[in-house]
Amino acid sequence: MRAVTCRRYGPPDVLRIEDLPRPVPAARELRVRVAATTVTSGDARIRGFRCPAIFWLPMRLVLGLRGPRRPVTGMEFAGVVDAVGDAVTRFSPGDRVFGLAAAGAHAEWLVVAEDSAVAPAPAGLSDFEAAALPFGGLSALIFLRDVAKVKQGERVLVIGAAGAVGASAVQLARHLGAEVAAVCGAGNINLVRSLGATVAHDRAAWDSGQEEGRYDVILDAAGAAGPASVRRALAPRGRHVLLSFGVAGMAWMMLTALWPGRRVICGFAGGGAADLRFLRDLAEAGTLLPVIDRVLPLEAVVEAHRHVDSGRKRGALVLTVGAGRPA
Ligand SMILES: NC(=O)c1ccc[n+]([C@@H]2O[C@H](COP(=O)([O-])OP(=O)(O)OC[C@H]3O[C@@H](n4cnc5c(N)ncnc54)[C@H](OP(=O)(O)O)[C@@H]3O)[C@@H](O)[C@H]2O)c1
């Protein structure tokens, strides 16, 4: 099968398309014939091994010392189950599925565990659209619902609202009953307003100092706002959630946990099949719309990584694998 591999960390052109054996599912695994996948900010981070210095050694030990231990890249996928292991009970060949894997989705076939983040794909969405949902959707859901614990009527500010996480966060914060404001590039203001932001600020002109005490939750999906710079925009018990962080962010988190008041929270998103089913239901109801920057063939993976590295991606960058279902 054709698969994209990363055998050493580096710039986009370390990626190769290789012919590899088709994977065989174990007893509790299913094999998916991938129709669409994406290049996420997470894929680009792993390929370039971009991580805060404090995580360098643990991340190398986990991911692989000179290059990823699992060389086939890719996390998000949508496609059709074409084989299942003997002990699989919840999926059958022919099922349309979507999900988020640790690696391996940039390939014609992908094997995932039955109890991992895989679920029936949303009816009415193309494979392109289904593949665009899990990474941003799960991250936004976990950070807003479980980490920040957004409540009905709260004011939420999403920074980086046009990216994969931000575009989902705007929609999910609205779904959780919040009033949503956004910060994004000038060219994306109409997009984020169409997703449900009541106010969208051009990031070049936005001044957090003008919004003292305004937000119950600030979700920074752009790594753009240091805790000191937006602290005054938080309400007295507001939560500032950092998706990209280093030692300084962790120090802020520890310090602000010591007494009641404004909190800084850093963390890593997880999310499983139940969360994916939650997103699927919202997508089927039209409450969560996939945002797609562009669709490229798998063979254009180097170009795709360059675009993600630019930091200007809007929503998801989709790669087609084989024919896919029409968008
Ligand atoms: N901790 C975790 O578990 C976790 C999980 C998922 C993602 N992340 C991190 O979260 C971040 C966002 O991920 P993503 O997948 O959404 O990225 P993405 O799709 O590549 O989006 C990046 C977006 O950020 C916006 N942006 C860039 N600089 C900005 C600035 N100064 N102010 C406001 N917006 C800015 C860009 O939009 P404009 O052109 O409109 O500015 C772009 O749309 C990444 O750093 C990723 O590594 C962390």
Side-chain angles (χ1 to χ4, degrees), residues 160-180:
V165 179
S168 292
V170 170
Q171 300 179 77
L172 291 172
R174 272 289 294 264
H175 175 70
L176 294 171
E179 182 185 317
V180 185

Side-chain angles (χ1 to χ4, degrees), residues 39-42 44-45 50 135-136 138-140 142-143 158-168 183-189 191-192 201-204 206 220-225 242-245 266-270 293 307-317:
V39 178
T40 67
S41 58
R45 259 183 197 272
R50 289 196 295 269
F135 179 82
L138 287 175
S139 302
I142 301 305
F143 281 113
V158 179
I159 303 177
V165 179
S168 292
V183 177
C184 61
N188 290 325
I189 283 180
L191 169 71
V192 301
H201 300 281
D202 173 355
R203 65 181 166 86
W206 181 61
D220 182 4
L242 299 176
L243 273 67
S244 298
F245 54 89
C266 313
F268 296 101
D293 179 298
H307 184 56
V308 177
D309 279 359
S310 76
R312 295 279 81 84
K313 176 164 71 68
R314 286 158 57 113
L317 193 163

Side-chain angles (χ1 to χ4, degrees), residues 6-311:
C6 176
R7 297 196 180 270
R8 65 182 170 86
Y9 301 117
D13 53 18
V14 299
L15 298 169
R16 297 279 178 271
I17 304 251
E18 296 188 31
D19 266 323
L20 297 176
R22 192 181 301 183
V24 177
R28 293 185 183 284
E29 290 179 337
L30 42 135
R31 185 171 67 195
V32 179
R33 176 76 167 96
V34 179
T37 179
T38 66
V39 178
T40 67
S41 58
D43 293 315
R45 259 183 197 272
I46 292 173
R47 183 219 75 231
F49 199 77
R50 289 196 295 269
C51 78
I54 190 170
F55 296 131
W56 195 95
L57 186 58
M59 290 297 282
R60 286 262 166 159
L61 293 174
V62 170
L63 291 177
L65 286 177
R66 298 171 61 106
R69 190 170 289 120
R70 296 180 62 181
V72 180
T73 58
M75 300 176 179
E76 284 181 303
F77 60 90
V80 176
V81 176
D82 86 331
V84 296
D86 294 343
V88 168
T89 56
R90 295 201 296 274
F91 296 93
S92 307
D95 290 349
R96 275 192 76 222
V97 293
F98 76 139
L100 190 67
H106 291 168
E108 291 177 291
W109 280 271
L110 162 74
V111 157
V112 292
E114 180 185 31
D115 60 1
S116 67
V118 55
L125 263 63
S126 68
D127 291 325
F128 304 164
E129 292 167 326
L133 287 175
F135 179 82
L138 287 175
S139 302
L141 180 66
I142 301 305
F143 281 113
L144 290 171
R145 184 193 64 188
D146 304 342
V147 175
K149 299 189 183 356
V150 170
K151 294 188 256 325
Q152 177 90 22
E154 287 195 314
R155 289 174 172 170
V156 173
L157 176 71
V158 179
I159 303 177
V165 179
S168 292
V170 170
Q171 300 179 77
L172 291 172
R174 272 289 294 264
H175 175 70
L176 294 171
E179 182 185 317
V180 185
V183 177
C184 61
N188 290 325
I189 283 180
N190 288 341
L191 169 71
V192 301
R193 286 182 69 95
S194 75
L195 297 175
T198 323
V199 184
H201 300 281
D202 173 355
R203 65 181 166 86
W206 181 61
D207 175 6
S208 62
Q210 301 291 314
E211 305 205 273
E212 189 156 346
R214 179 162 184 82
Y215 298 109
D216 300 293
V217 173
I218 298 178
L219 182 87
D220 182 4
S229 69
V230 296
R231 192 161 177 74
R232 287 160 64 100
L234 279 178
R237 289 189 177 255
R239 292 86 78 199
H240 180 193
V241 181
L242 299 176
L243 273 67
S244 298
F245 54 89
V247 179
M250 290 168 63
W252 271 96
M253 179 165 73
M254 287 189 269
L255 279 173
T256 58
L258 293 176
W259 58 85
R262 299 176 175 109
R263 296 271 316 270
V264 173
I265 310 174
C266 313
F268 296 101
D275 302 306
L276 266 184
R277 289 194 294 271
F278 181 85
L279 297 179
R280 177 203 57 195
D281 291 348
L282 293 183
E284 288 182 349
T287 307
L288 177 64
L289 303 175
V291 175
I292 295 180
D293 179 298
R294 64 193 64 183
V295 180
L296 296 171
L298 187 71
E299 290 69 19
V301 67
V302 171
E303 176 189 340
H305 270 253
R306 287 197 183 110
H307 184 56
V308 177
D309 279 359
S310 76

